[in-house]
Amino acid sequence: MISIRNVTRRFDNNVVLENLSEQFIQGEISTIIAPNGTGKTVLLSLIAGFITPSSGQIVFSDGYTHSDIALLLPGEKNLYMKNTVEENVLYFGSLMGLNRKKVLQSICKYKKMFPIYDQIRHKTAETLSYGQKRMASLFSAIVSETRCIIIDEASEGLDLENVNCLIDMLQNVKKDRLIILSTHDYSFAAKVSDRFLFLKNGEIVHRATDVSYEELLSIYKSIFENGDK
């Protein structure tokens, strides 16, 4: 479990998150919903330990630590571009303490979820399409047995085939992982998420579970377009 306890984060005089509390548990996919520029990436970066709170605490329990987290950022910065896909997977596995044999065993275990792995394994990351890079970085996190996977703008730049592959991958591994997403693709979010956290004015102002795409849009509009909490 990861617990956020009364966390505030400010940059100079700009308060981005204020007295925010939340819990994230294993076996659940949580998606943070908010317009651009309202603190989603700051919140994910705090959880991952890339930045520290101005006040409050982020507490790890049930054996979780900062070293169990893989944070996948938007864009193409999650892989070493001059290395092959397989070299990237082996490297990130080694960072999690797995030897080559264990990483190769893990690849065999999970590659059915990433059908094009054998086609691209010997290609350098720089030669891949944007979607392939995003999927390869997620595959690296899964293969390395990372216990907590955080993906900022999870479905950004992915075509329908890769979005469906992403959903399958996350659903297949969530039982043994703690997964936190942010996205503006609410159709994707409704299909993959167990719960939704709506972030406004630096706080979680609404929580929802088991909602359809239409219900998700309705909640979004009531919070962010009508100004209601």
Side-chain angles (χ1 to χ4, degrees):
M1 180 186 293
I2 300 176
S3 300
I4 302 173
R5 300 179 180 175
N6 305 116
V7 163
T8 293
R9 176 63 195 191
R10 62 177 63 86
F11 296 91
D12 296 325
N13 294 324
N14 181 28
V15 178
V16 179
L17 302 174
E18 185 170 18
N19 202 34
L20 188 150
S21 295
E22 190 56 54
Q23 290 186 336
F24 301 92
I25 63 173
Q26 182 173 301
E28 189 172 73
I29 299 176
S30 301
T31 297
I32 300 167
I33 302 291
N36 283 330
T38 53
K40 295 191 303 296
T41 299
V42 171
L43 176 56
L44 298 182
S45 297
L46 281 165
I47 297 170
F50 283 16
I51 58 177
T52 57
S54 302
S55 62
Q57 292 180 302
I58 298 176
V59 179
F60 293 81
S61 56
D62 303 323
Y64 279 85
T65 68
H66 269 132
S67 63
D68 292 315
I69 296 176
L71 172 59
L72 306 183
L73 296 168
E76 304 178 344
K77 300 178 181 179
N78 301 297
L79 298 170
Y80 289 94
M81 293 294 115
K82 298 297 182 182
N83 293 93
T84 67
V85 171
E86 185 172 77
E87 287 169 343
N88 272 279
V89 174
L90 287 166
Y91 173 71
F92 288 112
S94 71
L95 290 182
M96 297 301 294
L98 304 180
N99 60 34
R100 180 183 178 88
K101 181 179 179 180
K102 288 185 178 179
V103 175
L104 292 175
Q105 289 173 341
S106 191
I107 289 172
C108 290
K109 177 181 178 181
Y110 293 113
K111 70 178 183 179
K112 64 181 180 293
M113 295 188 296
F114 190 30
I116 67 167
Y117 176 76
D118 284 331
Q119 300 173 30
I120 66 173
R121 58 184 288 199
H122 296 306
K123 293 184 178 181
T124 57
E126 65 185 355
T127 66
L128 303 180
S129 70
Y130 182 84
Q132 288 172 339
K133 291 171 185 172
R134 292 284 282 171
M135 298 306 296
S137 61
L138 174 59
F139 186 67
S140 295
I142 290 172
V143 164
S144 66
E145 303 291 354
T146 304
R147 296 183 66 200
C148 176
I149 299 174
I150 302 175
I151 313 178
D152 195 9
E153 299 299 344
S155 61
E156 180 191 64
L158 300 185
D159 60 21
L160 181 60
E161 181 179 0
N162 277 318
V163 168
N164 288 334
C165 184
L166 174 61
I167 292 171
D168 289 342
M169 290 173 76
L170 294 175
Q171 289 287 349
N172 274 304
V173 302
K174 75 173 186 177
K175 178 182 176 182
D176 301 314
R177 321 280 173 126
L178 188 161
I179 300 173
I180 306 171
L181 312 176
S182 78
T183 184
H184 288 99
D185 182 348
Y186 303 129
S187 175
F188 158 76
K191 293 175 183 176
V192 75
S193 307
D194 296 298
R195 67 183 189 128
F196 304 90
L197 307 173
F198 294 82
L199 179 65
K200 181 179 181 181
N201 297 331
E203 305 174 70
I204 303 296
V205 297
H206 185 77
R207 296 166 179 83
T209 58
D210 299 321
V211 298
S212 67
Y213 169 64
E214 291 76 15
E215 290 169 326
L216 186 58
L217 286 182
S218 177
I219 296 170
Y220 183 94
K221 289 178 181 178
S222 71
I223 293 173
F224 299 110
E225 295 182 12
N226 297 337
D228 298 329
K229 289 191 177 185

